[in-house]
Amino acid sequence: MIAPTTAPDTVRVLLEDSYATYPHSNGYLRGGRQVVLGIAGGRPSLVRVDLGDPHADHAIVVRPDQFELAADSTFAGTSWSPEHATTPVPWFDIALHSDTLVTCWGNQLLTADAAGTDERLRTLYRPPTGWTLHELMSISGDGRTAYVSESDGREWVLRSVAVGDGDTEELLRASWHANHIHPVPADESWLMFSHEGPASTIGDRMWAMHPTLAPGGRVTVDQRALSDAETPLSIGHERARFDCAGAVVVAYGESPAGPRGLYETFLDGRAPRLVSAGDRDWHCGVSRDGTRMVVDTTGPFSRPGRGWIDAGSHSSIVLVDPTSGARRELARTGFIGHPYHPHPSFTPDGQAVVFNHVQYADDGATIVRRGAAIVAV
């Protein structure tokens, strides 16, 4: 049974023209009352917003001029706009226990105090000449170690960077596109990363490394074993868990094989489990206690078809019960290019979901509003 859609007035835009960070990153400050959001359109900046009080003042975390100081000619050019949605914006990650923020901009790894009033960026790391940092980075829970991926176009390197002094260590070198590195919050001796590329052709998407159990990295999901056909299941957008050593991941609607939907995976040898079947799942998230999960969809989740078939430009934010697999639509939204994929994530208390909201006019094409939004569960 499909539960009714939440009434539109229960969705509250936190800040106009803002966006939440990537789903496997953390945008929340300690205490769970505030979230950091990026501003897309014109000069980029990062701001701190109160989740509960819509009238509270917003605080600048990183000013536009600080990003401009970090930029170089490689990153100069057109500012982000809905008409130029492929233009880069700053992604960021915040340490769970220290509020230390890291971001990549101008081919540099940068840091700032997400809870402070300094508004300055400090450079932690620049890759060697000829190498380019991937736009997604991550940071350990204590804020002492950042993780990046970089490439010279032929090889990809995963690297740790000490936040205190900038010392670096090469963790892994691959001949394939390795990225999305982030620590597993439940056990940060594990680092998750991905084999990036077209989901339909990548049969070893999910990887993890561990100092003793998997020092060279190992595949964590056998996509062919999960498949009900001769081709591997097409999976992606994994998010490491807070409550156990593992992750949630989606088997995309466009996967030529099934079962499609939301899976949970484990690093202790247990086989992945299909939590909830779905033919339009796109991105996913999990609450910190593991009792709630969320997905967004390619097209409204009740629409017939799968994947991008007849998807249009709308998406559902869907709450998933990991015990029963039951689904309930929390909100309906639209999407355009990054950063305005919905990218849902739970607030630290698990009582609400923050996502990127795009609202269209009645013509279904004109954007009338965009910004990070919140909806109660």
Side-chain angles (χ1 to χ4, degrees), residues 11 16 21 23 76 79 91 109 120 137 142 186 198 213 222 256 263 312 363 366:
V11 174
E16 300 290 339
T21 195
S79 297
W91 298 104
L109 175 66
R120 288 185 298 177
M137 78 316 299
D142 60 14
L213 299 176
D222 186 339
Y263 283 78
D363 64 10
T366 304

Side-chain angles (χ1 to χ4, degrees), residues 344-360:
S345 70
F346 285 97
T347 55
D349 64 4
Q351 299 302 305
V353 169
V354 170
F355 64 97
N356 295 320
H357 182 51
V358 175
Q359 182 179 338
Y360 289 96

Side-chain angles (χ1 to χ4, degrees), residues 307-326:
W308 295 104
I309 299 171
D310 197 28
S313 56
H314 287 84
S315 178
S316 296
I317 307 299
V318 183
L319 183 70
V320 179
D321 181 335
T323 301
S324 67

Side-chain angles (χ1 to χ4, degrees), residues 5-51:
T5 301
T6 297
D9 59 4
T10 63
V11 174
R12 176 166 60 88
V13 173
L14 292 165
L15 184 63
E16 300 290 339
D17 301 338
S18 68
Y19 63 93
T21 195
Y22 204 75
H24 69 229
S25 301
N26 173 53
Y28 303 98
L29 273 66
R30 288 175 297 169
R33 294 179 56 86
Q34 295 180 310
V35 63
V36 172
L37 304 172
I39 300 298
R43 304 165 72 197
S45 64
L46 302 181
V47 298
R48 193 168 62 243
V49 174
D50 191 289
L51 287 167

Side-chain angles (χ1 to χ4, degrees), residues 19-289:
Y19 63 93
T21 195
Y22 204 75
H24 69 229
S25 301
N26 173 53
Y28 303 98
L29 273 66
R30 288 175 297 169
R33 294 179 56 86
Q34 295 180 310
V35 63
V36 172
L37 304 172
I39 300 298
R43 304 165 72 197
S45 64
L46 302 181
V47 298
R48 193 168 62 243
V49 174
D50 191 289
L51 287 167
D53 184 357
H55 305 295
D57 291 336
H58 310 312
I60 297 292
V61 175
V62 180
R63 302 190 313 268
D65 63 289
Q66 292 295 309
F67 279 118
E68 288 163 4
L69 286 171
D72 59 23
S73 59
T74 305
F75 286 77
T78 306
S79 297
W80 188 96
S81 70
E83 296 74 33
H84 298 93
T86 58
T87 302
V89 297
W91 298 104
F92 52 93
D93 191 19
I94 301 173
L96 293 172
H97 310 303
S98 75
D99 294 335
T100 302
L101 179 147
V102 288
T103 184
C104 283
W105 195 248
N107 206 28
Q108 299 174 74
L109 175 66
L110 306 153
T111 186
D113 180 3
T117 58
D118 198 334
E119 305 171 16
R120 288 185 298 177
L121 286 171
R122 176 169 64 91
T123 299
L124 289 177
Y125 173 72
R126 292 183 178 89
T129 301
W131 288 72
T132 301
L133 287 176
H134 188 265
E135 60 188 341
L136 297 178
M137 78 316 299
S138 63
I139 190 168
S140 60
D142 60 14
R144 296 180 180 177
T145 308
Y147 302 97
V148 296
S149 60
E150 60 191 20
S151 176
D152 65 352
R154 299 179 300 276
E155 292 185 303
W156 284 260
V157 167
L158 303 181
R159 184 180 299 277
S160 66
V161 181
V163 174
D165 57 17
D167 282 352
T168 74
E169 179 184 356
E170 182 178 309
L171 303 175
L172 181 135
R173 185 174 292 258
S175 59
W176 41 266
H177 190 171
N179 65 5
H180 287 202
I181 183 171
H182 61 289
V184 178
D187 180 356
E188 291 198 6
S189 59
W190 285 100
L191 294 172
M192 300 206 72
F193 60 102
S194 69
H195 181 173
E196 184 65 270
S200 62
T201 64
I202 302 297
D204 60 341
R205 162 76 187 198
M206 289 181 65
W207 288 69
M209 68 176 76
H210 185 280
T212 56
L213 299 176
R218 65 173 171 83
V219 179
T220 64
V221 173
D222 186 339
Q223 295 165 231
R224 188 173 295 277
L226 291 178
S227 173
D228 59 10
E230 293 298 318
T231 56
L233 207 62
S234 300
I235 65 173
H237 288 142
E238 57 281 340
R239 203 287 173 233
R241 297 182 66 157
F242 302 85
D243 61 312
C244 67
V248 290
V249 66
V250 294
Y252 298 122
E254 64 267 31
S255 174
R260 306 172 187 90
L262 177 66
Y263 283 78
E264 60 180 353
T265 71
F266 307 96
L267 293 170
D268 61 4
R270 283 180 288 170
R273 181 179 78 93
L274 177 64
V275 174
S276 180
D279 282 336
R280 292 191 177 275
D281 291 357
W282 192 7
H283 304 89
C284 59
V286 60
S287 63
R288 297 193 180 186
D289 64 3

